[in-house]
Amino acid sequence: MIKRSVLQINEEWAFRQASDESSTFLPVSQFPTNVHLDLIANGVITEPFFSRNEDEVQWVGEKAWEYRTSFVGPSRRDERAILAFDGLDTYASVLLNGIEILKTNNMFIPERVDVSKYLHGEDNQLTIIFQSAFLYGKETVKKYPDHRWGCWNGDLSRLAVRKAQYHYGWDWGPTLLTCGPWRPISLEIYTSRIVDLYLVTTVDPSLKSAEVIAKVDVEDTRSSSHITFVINLDGQEVSSETVSVTNGHATATFRTQNPELWYPSGYGEQPLYTLKATLLADDQELDSASKRFGLRRAELVERRLKDAPGTSFFFQINDVPIFCGGSNWIPADSFLPRIALQRYRDWVKLAKEGNQVMLRVWGGGIFEEQAFYDACDEFGILVWQDFLFACGNYPTHPEFLESVRKEAEANVKLLRHHPSIVVWAGNNEDYQYAESEGLDYDPTDVNPDNWLQSSFPARYIYETLLPAVIQKLTPDTPFRYGSPWGGKTTRDQTIGDLHQWNVWHGTQEKYQNFSTLSGRFVSEFGMEALPSLRTIHTFLPSDSADLYPQSLTMDHHNKAAGHERRLATYLTENIRYPFTPLAQYIYCTQLMQAECLATAYRLWKREWKGPGREYCSGALVWQLNDCWPGTSWSIVDYYLRPKSAYWAVKRELKHLTLGMKRVVEEKRRDSYTRAYVEKIHRIELWAVNLGLEKRIVDVAVKAWDVVTGEESFCEIIREDSVLEANRSTEVESFEIPVRRKNQGEEIRTVVAAYLVEDGQQVARAVNWSEPLKYVPLQKPKALKMDVAPDMQSVHIESDVPLKGLVVECENDDVKFEDNCVDIVPGEKVIVGVNGLQKEDELTARYLDMDL
């Protein structure tokens, strides 16, 4: 008997075009890999992200490609030898020493093949031929003409292929149909092995004790086999037990008092235990496996609300209701093997630093790398995990259903130990697609056989197949049939989650009306903005004739249909903006995006009103990240450069915030008059305390004339105001302080509110008349931007109110802790900064500045 060994087969790979016999083998650029990366590295194609090169490489996705390598086999032939393929994209034929050992049709299923009888001693030839997924999909569509094929985004043939759907193109990313060994390949040699290590954790309602049931599945056991389980925390052993393996299984139950509980970011710590299982026979170690886990009670609470229709929809961790402010996550690159593991950590860290507590892994991408979920575990980011179906009507022929079942089981097993994952959902917007296309969907029909015969057969996947997988493998994790899903329709604002796209898409509402567009949990909403000029220069050099907002190349890097009209509409409605210089146009799109998203978070957090009144319990912006450099709804671009919206969202998601909204009340002299109307301009002021302790604060309000910069009002309007824990509190409603009412001074009055606790300012908000294009903004005569002696902060002052001042630096290593801030006279705004050097130059950009 020998201990299991793993040989990574990641060297000396070569590739060529399989459909062309004259094609010569070229070295691969890395491993794992895909064909586009290898073609780029060998100079066969140029970077598809540059200019409009995407169009020039479409031929790649319609060819077959061959990969090959050789490796040395094991010296002993009496042990089992397994080739493990963690991910092959997508239609692959695998040959070992000329013999076909595997055919695949699903990018997301890890495969294992016993190759003991096929191995040679010194030289083993491994060949993988990848067929065109695009052409396979086209043939499948043709094979099933009775199915109502249709989708939003990408070619409809994607529905027939179990491949990352965004590879077919989406309204934020390019069409790049990859293939190749996208995850590791290894050779395992063993006598016996641990097939799976998993656990069931239960935290007592008192939170004072917890139970961990550790389980192991074992392959090829010996009569003397046993498992030693060890649980560690911070390197210290907490508990251990050795049990016998019976019929390929071993189980041990651990109970602990006063467990270290895992909390979301901002609500507590994220202690992670490690469970290690060691397989032994006759005191010889044969294999081992380990997984990290957290102890927490996680619930999705849906209950009747007070004073409102429908039900709540909020996540509760260790008895703490959580307002889930966060983002949607898409794959971070069109070429998945190009994403370094550290880059996943950097992305999740950026979300945490932005005060976000949830990321939704969107269903048109992939089940992400373990590094992503590990980072979410460590940083306390809750994960909403979609199964991989998006925006279409998927088929249900037997082969497809079996592939989906294997895919779901394999990936739930891989991910179920992560404490960050708190909900699974069956799809993204497939029910919404069915509604829009008039497909058969009768919620009262509970017969799955009828669903399979309908024009919306994928309902069987979401309501039968996937729930069965969840119930079998992770029954304590909530499952949703889809997202959005909950009420009689997917547009229901009172039950379940909502994708609110009536700002940008749909009816194109003004974003100032987000208060009427709320839902119990808004799992998608967004607004577009251009990325930074440095990011644009990666696909359009500074000397390009296309370096202007409406150029062909700039439009090519914005995949949203109708983006020209929509972006122009929201810009024109809200701010005065130029097209040149390009940097100022970029700034204006980012400011508008920031104002839009901040408005949504501010108004929806107001609806988090405490127990029984959780009228809105979360908002996930579409989207955190990008898969390529371009214009999209992301708040951070492909190169991890935050847009202004990132900072605006970060401020709104602090645990203690102020909100203000201007309203106009009209008093008519009689019921008929149009001429004799008195208008009262008021501000509604509220505070949100997401912390777990009540706060006692004073509320101060100041006002300035935006033209003169003169302070027109300064008072403490409330003393010892109590802000109850984990809810919003209505503070005051007051008239806008002006000298002459209804004479236009309201538009030129800027109002700031402050929360003061124990003499310290703990929250701040600045309110402007909207739309901003009507505000007579002035240029400052005395704008000061001083760097502190320790180079850790920038101090900003102005003699007139300034909207959305952005501090800029050409050095990418300089990281700001805040940005796009409003400046008012007599106040010094301090922006933290890291990585600033004496030679770095800082510049300022703000709305309506001189150009």
Side-chain angles (χ1 to χ4, degrees):
M1 295 185 292
I2 63 169
K3 183 178 180 180
R4 184 177 71 99
S5 63
V6 180
L7 170 68
Q8 295 297 324
I9 301 179
N10 55 9
E11 297 180 351
E12 299 183 7
W13 282 91
F15 81 109
R16 70 172 183 175
Q17 185 178 324
S19 52
D20 182 359
E21 290 300 322
S22 64
S23 178
T24 58
F25 278 96
L26 299 169
V28 302
S29 58
Q30 61 179 73
F31 203 89
T33 188
N34 71 29
V35 66
H36 289 81
L37 295 176
D38 295 328
L39 292 171
I40 294 168
N42 285 279
V44 179
I45 64 173
T46 51
E47 171 59 63
F49 291 178
F50 186 77
S51 188
R52 301 191 300 279
N53 290 350
E54 173 198 355
D55 292 341
E56 306 302 317
V57 301
Q58 292 306 306
W59 63 273
V60 176
E62 297 185 22
K63 302 296 183 182
W65 298 91
E66 179 180 353
Y67 280 78
R68 75 177 185 186
T69 190
S70 61
F71 61 92
V72 176
S75 57
R76 293 178 55 171
R77 303 301 300 277
D78 57 343
E79 308 294 342
R80 173 167 288 195
I82 298 290
L83 275 176
F85 304 88
D86 290 354
L88 298 176
D89 176 14
T90 294
Y91 292 97
S93 299
V94 182
L95 293 86
L96 179 62
N97 298 324
I99 300 171
E100 184 175 89
I101 61 170
L102 176 67
K103 290 182 75 71
T104 71
N105 62 3
N106 190 315
M107 175 179 176
F108 310 117
I109 299 179
E111 301 282 1
R112 297 176 60 85
V113 184
D114 189 333
V115 294
S116 306
K117 62 183 178 181
Y118 304 120
L119 286 176
H120 299 163
E122 290 296 319
D123 186 27
N124 292 275
Q125 298 293 322
L126 181 61
T127 302
I128 310 176
I129 299 173
F130 294 92
Q131 301 296 334
S132 166
F134 179 75
L135 298 181
Y136 256 85
K138 287 293 191 182
E139 288 296 322
T140 304
V141 170
K142 185 178 179 181
K143 185 178 177 181
Y144 296 96
D146 293 336
H147 179 65
R148 280 184 60 175
W149 300 94
C151 63
W152 299 325
N153 294 297
D155 190 89
L156 61 81
S157 65
R158 69 175 174 82
L159 302 170
V161 181
R162 294 314 296 151
K163 174 179 175 60
Q165 301 287 271
Y166 82 106
H167 284 166
Y168 288 79
W170 221 263
D171 53 9
W172 37 256
T175 302
L176 292 165
L177 286 158
T178 61
C179 72
W182 74 288
R183 280 181 167 164
I185 298 174
S186 58
L187 176 66
E188 298 181 15
I189 308 297
Y190 58 88
T191 302
S192 183
R193 77 176 182 105
I194 295 174
V195 176
D196 193 16
L197 168 63
Y198 52 109
L199 62 156
V200 177
T201 63
T202 304
V203 175
D204 187 81
S206 69
L207 306 182
K208 299 298 184 182
S209 64
E211 179 182 81
V212 177
I213 302 175
K215 300 183 179 184
V216 158
D217 296 335
V218 177
E219 179 184 325
D220 290 344
T221 59
R222 301 296 188 264
S223 60
S224 58
S225 296
H226 53 277
I227 293 284
T228 296
F229 292 103
V230 179
I231 296 179
N232 287 290
L233 178 65
D234 297 329
Q236 300 295 316
E237 182 176 314
V238 173
S239 191
S240 65
E241 186 175 347
T242 298
V243 297
S244 297
V245 177
T246 304
N247 297 325
H249 303 282
T251 300
T253 299
F254 301 91
R255 294 178 178 86
T256 181
Q257 299 299 313
N258 300 313
E260 298 284 337
L261 297 181
W262 185 96
Y263 283 88
S265 174
Y267 293 89
E269 300 301 317
Q270 294 81 44
L272 294 171
Y273 293 81
T274 299
L275 171 65
K276 182 177 182 181
T278 304
L279 172 63
L280 302 108
D282 300 325
D283 295 325
Q284 180 180 354
E285 181 179 333
L286 300 182
D287 196 8
S288 65
S290 64
K291 287 185 176 177
R292 293 192 308 174
F293 67 97
L295 294 174
R296 84 289 189 271
R297 287 179 60 84
E299 304 165 83
L300 174 53
V301 181
E302 297 178 90
R303 64 189 180 203
R304 301 298 301 180
L305 292 163
K306 300 175 183 177
D307 308 321
T311 55
S312 66
F313 188 103
F314 67 90
F315 293 90
Q316 185 165 280
I317 309 298
N318 302 328
D319 297 339
V320 178
I322 308 295
F323 182 91
C324 288
S327 295
N328 284 267
W329 169 269
I330 66 170
D333 204 304
S334 292
F335 304 133
L336 294 164
R338 187 153 64 179
I339 309 172
L341 298 184
Q342 180 61 42
R343 196 167 182 85
Y344 280 112
R345 188 175 182 83
D346 293 342
W347 273 113
V348 177
K349 184 170 182 277
L350 202 59
K352 174 188 170 66
E353 291 174 345
N355 296 320
Q356 300 187 29
V357 296
M358 177 174 274
L359 293 174
R360 172 175 173 250
V361 180
W362 168 76
I366 63 171
F367 299 105
E368 281 295 349
E369 297 293 336
Q370 291 289 348
F372 171 84
Y373 303 98
D374 287 343
C376 290
D377 293 345
E378 293 171 22
F379 290 127
I381 301 297
L382 302 176
V383 173
W384 173 312
Q385 178 68 54
D386 280 0
F387 283 98
L388 304 184
F389 304 89
C391 300
N393 187 28
Y394 286 84
T396 54
H397 48 275
E399 301 86 359
F400 188 85
L401 290 179
E402 180 60 17
S403 183
V404 167
R405 183 190 62 77
K406 290 181 179 178
E407 167 193 321
E409 289 186 348
N411 287 281
V412 171
K413 286 180 179 180
L414 287 170
L415 300 179
R416 59 183 167 178
H417 63 286
H418 289 286
S420 54
I421 298 178
V422 293
V423 65
W424 291 78
N427 65 81
N428 172 79
E429 295 185 356
D430 289 358
Y431 285 92
Q432 202 162 23
Y433 178 84
E435 288 174 4
S436 73
E437 297 300 315
L439 303 182
D440 300 330
Y441 177 60
D442 178 5
T444 65
D445 182 357
V446 295
N447 186 340
D449 292 333
N450 292 342
W451 307 343
L452 288 169
Q453 302 305 314
S454 73
S455 59
F456 181 40
R459 182 182 177 189
Y460 177 86
I461 297 175
Y462 314 137
E463 298 185 31
T464 298
L465 189 155
L466 295 177
V469 171
I470 293 294
Q471 182 60 35
K472 173 184 175 183
L473 298 177
T474 180
D476 294 332
T477 307
F479 175 78
R480 308 286 299 170
Y481 291 157
S483 178
W485 191 85
K488 292 182 179 179
T489 74
T490 58
R491 299 178 299 279
D492 195 320
Q493 294 176 255
T494 67
I495 300 175
D497 70 311
L498 175 73
H499 291 190
Q500 185 49 271
W501 281 109
N502 281 321
V503 170
W504 183 270
H505 290 303
T507 55
Q508 295 182 34
E509 302 286 334
K510 295 179 184 298
Y511 63 70
Q512 289 83 357
N513 297 335
F514 264 132
S515 58
T516 66
L517 303 174
S518 181
R520 298 296 175 242
F521 191 106
V522 185
S523 47
E524 282 191 21
F525 71 102
M527 176 57 67
E528 279 202 348
L530 273 68
S532 76
L533 188 58
R534 275 173 290 171
T535 293
I536 289 173
H537 281 159
T538 66
F539 63 85
L540 261 179
S542 57
D543 59 352
S544 171
D546 259 10
L547 195 62
Y548 62 93
Q550 297 166 304
S551 74
L552 181 58
T553 303
M554 289 289 284
D555 274 353
H556 182 83
H557 280 255
N558 187 341
K559 298 299 186 179
H563 66 265
E564 303 93 340
R565 287 174 283 122
R566 288 172 168 84
L567 195 54
T569 293
Y570 284 99
L571 281 169
T572 301
E573 280 183 349
N574 288 286
I575 60 178
R576 301 189 293 272
Y577 65 97
F579 280 113
T580 57
L582 178 57
Q584 188 67 10
Y585 177 74
I586 293 168
Y587 162 84
C588 288
T589 70
Q590 291 197 10
L591 175 65
M592 185 272 294
Q593 181 195 39
E595 290 293 295
C596 172
L597 302 186
T599 298
Y601 278 110
R602 188 181 310 126
L603 293 173
W604 292 341
K605 279 179 65 183
R606 188 184 189 182
E607 298 301 307
W608 180 248
K609 293 181 178 292
R613 295 183 172 88
E614 302 93 348
Y615 304 133
C616 181
S617 305
L620 307 179
V621 67
W622 186 272
Q623 63 215 60
L624 176 67
N625 61 322
D626 274 326
C627 70
W628 81 322
T631 299
S632 77
W633 297 274
S634 73
I635 61 174
V636 182
D637 73 28
Y638 173 77
Y639 293 102
L640 285 93
R641 294 176 178 132
K643 299 178 185 177
S644 292
Y646 172 83
W647 309 112
V649 170
K650 177 180 180 178
R651 289 191 294 271
E652 294 299 334
L653 289 180
K654 287 181 177 180
H655 271 211
L656 189 62
T657 57
L658 276 166
M660 286 186 280
K661 178 183 178 182
R662 296 192 182 205
V663 295
V664 179
E665 301 173 5
E666 292 187 349
K667 291 186 176 181
R668 298 178 181 273
R669 190 177 67 180
D670 56 58
S671 59
Y672 299 105
T673 184
R674 295 174 57 195
Y676 300 99
V677 180
E678 178 188 1
K679 292 185 177 181
I680 303 173
H681 297 259
R682 305 184 67 83
I683 284 184
E684 297 174 350
L685 174 64
W686 66 93
V688 182
N689 173 19
L690 295 182
L692 304 184
E693 302 289 339
K694 72 178 180 181
R695 309 286 287 269
I696 299 176
V697 297
D698 296 337
V699 183
V701 172
K702 294 183 178 182
W704 295 264
D705 186 308
V706 76
V707 174
T708 66
E710 293 179 359
E711 186 178 285
S712 57
F713 185 84
C714 179
E715 284 188 14
I716 295 177
I717 64 169
R718 293 281 293 272
E719 292 185 341
D720 297 330
S721 183
V722 177
L723 306 181
E724 295 293 346
N726 207 5
R727 71 193 67 184
S728 68
T729 299
E730 297 297 314
V731 175
E732 191 65 85
S733 176
F734 58 90
E735 289 191 44
I736 296 176
V738 294
R739 293 183 175 91
R740 296 175 299 166
K741 297 179 181 180
N742 292 309
Q743 298 298 310
E745 291 186 14
E746 290 84 1
I747 288 179
R748 55 189 278 177
T749 299
V750 178
V751 179
Y754 308 86
L755 297 183
V756 179
E757 183 179 49
D758 298 329
Q760 299 295 315
Q761 178 183 308
V762 291
R764 170 186 186 262
V766 181
N767 177 271
W768 306 71
S769 177
E770 294 188 87
L772 290 166
K773 65 182 180 181
Y774 296 148
V775 179
L777 295 166
Q778 303 297 300
K779 280 67 176 177
K781 297 182 176 64
L783 174 60
K784 295 176 62 178
M785 221 168 50
D786 299 325
V787 177
D790 62 2
M791 309 291 286
Q792 298 297 302
S793 60
V794 182
H795 298 203
I796 309 165
E797 298 177 82
S798 174
D799 59 323
V800 293
L802 297 179
K803 180 62 188 175
L805 184 141
V806 173
V807 184
E808 297 178 337
C809 182
E810 288 299 311
N811 182 358
D812 253 350
D813 293 330
V814 174
K815 309 294 183 185
F816 296 101
E817 296 177 4
D818 196 4
N819 222 325
C820 197
V821 291
D822 293 343
I823 310 298
V824 290
E827 182 179 352
K828 182 183 294 184
V829 173
I830 300 175
V831 174
V833 63
N834 297 293
L836 187 64
Q837 304 298 317
K838 289 185 177 180
E839 61 270 20
D840 291 325
E841 181 182 358
L842 299 180
T843 56
R845 192 177 296 277
Y846 49 89
L847 187 60
D848 288 357
M849 67 183 289
D850 283 330
L851 302 176

